[in-house]
Amino acid sequence: MKKYASVLLIFLLLAGCSKQPDEMEIGLELRSKLLQSAGCSFEAEIQADYGDKLHTFTMECDANPQGEITFTVIKPDTISGISGKLSGEGGILTFDDTALHFALLTEDRISPISAPWIVLNTLRSGCITSCCREDGSVRLSIDDSYEDDALRLDIWLDSDNLPQKADFLYNGLRFLSVFLEGFEIL
């Protein structure tokens, strides 16, 4: 009897070691990789929904280990070449003769240009409130803070468990989407 119990125990232990990580583990592993990395790079297509108009633009982004992002707008051509830097303390824009202006969203709290920094900062330090599988992808719901008026980001991960899309929600309504391509942790 002891022999069978030992074999069963070994089988159960081995089966437990080979199980797929759950969604929360995947989210926490991504956070750990980002926090321990030398930074990351990605392309971000941003769609800002103002209700009566949708603004879309694309940026190339590079982040350092502290999460500060340098970016260059690459699409549309009318604003390509505008570059800047974003951090928790604010941001700067540089341009020649074209100015970049987007009205603020969510009760004048967020500029669409800051979306990549918010995604990265939320992945690095936000409160993961739920995780699930949705159409084969892992979806993380993360609040950007512990405040009552926190933004919620729904972030979908690709097959390599890297961010591929983020929806920004405020008071339950989506107002901003970011589509990430070529996300690479350095």
Side-chain angles (χ1 to χ4, degrees):
M1 187 64 154
K2 285 184 179 182
K3 185 177 182 180
Y4 292 116
S6 297
V7 171
L8 180 60
L9 181 61
I10 290 171
F11 176 75
L12 289 174
L13 288 173
L14 290 176
C17 293
S18 66
K19 83 172 188 79
Q20 294 290 331
D22 69 14
E23 294 82 7
M24 180 62 82
E25 288 174 5
I26 291 169
L28 293 174
E29 285 174 17
L30 174 59
R31 174 172 287 170
S32 179
K33 287 178 186 177
L34 287 170
L35 290 171
Q36 296 173 14
S37 75
C40 61
S41 63
F42 54 93
E43 189 173 290
E45 177 185 294
I46 298 157
Q47 295 180 352
D49 187 350
Y50 288 92
D52 57 343
K53 186 161 179 145
L54 184 69
H55 289 283
T56 302
F57 60 98
T58 304
M59 303 168 20
E60 287 181 342
C61 302
D62 292 300
N64 67 19
Q66 293 75 35
E68 297 171 332
I69 292 182
T70 56
F71 68 87
T72 301
V73 177
I74 57 173
K75 294 179 190 171
D77 290 339
T78 55
I79 59 172
S80 67
I82 293 175
S83 61
K85 187 174 186 176
L86 298 165
S87 71
E89 286 78 49
I92 55 171
L93 291 175
T94 57
F95 48 86
D96 290 328
D97 16 334
T98 305
L100 185 60
H101 172 72
F102 291 102
L104 296 175
L105 296 158
T106 63
E107 299 174 9
D108 296 333
R109 292 176 39 188
I110 295 181
S111 169
I113 204 80
S114 65
W117 180 84
I118 294 170
V119 169
L120 188 57
N121 187 58
T122 302
L123 280 168
R124 290 168 51 98
S125 62
C127 176
I128 300 174
T129 58
S130 70
C131 309
C132 66
R133 291 206 182 261
E134 201 172 89
D135 299 325
S137 296
V138 172
R139 180 176 62 92
L140 307 172
S141 291
I142 308 174
D143 286 353
D144 74 334
S145 70
Y146 294 103
E147 303 295 324
D148 289 337
D149 62 348
L151 293 175
R152 189 180 91 211
L153 276 67
D154 285 342
I155 300 174
W156 285 264
L157 307 181
D158 65 15
S159 59
D160 295 322
N161 295 327
L162 296 171
Q164 70 178 0
K165 180 185 177 197
D167 282 341
F168 288 56
L169 296 102
Y170 183 68
N171 290 333
L173 299 174
R174 184 186 64 191
F175 64 92
L176 192 64
S177 293
V178 179
F179 299 89
L180 304 157
E181 288 190 26
F183 197 98
E184 183 180 0
I185 298 175
L186 307 174

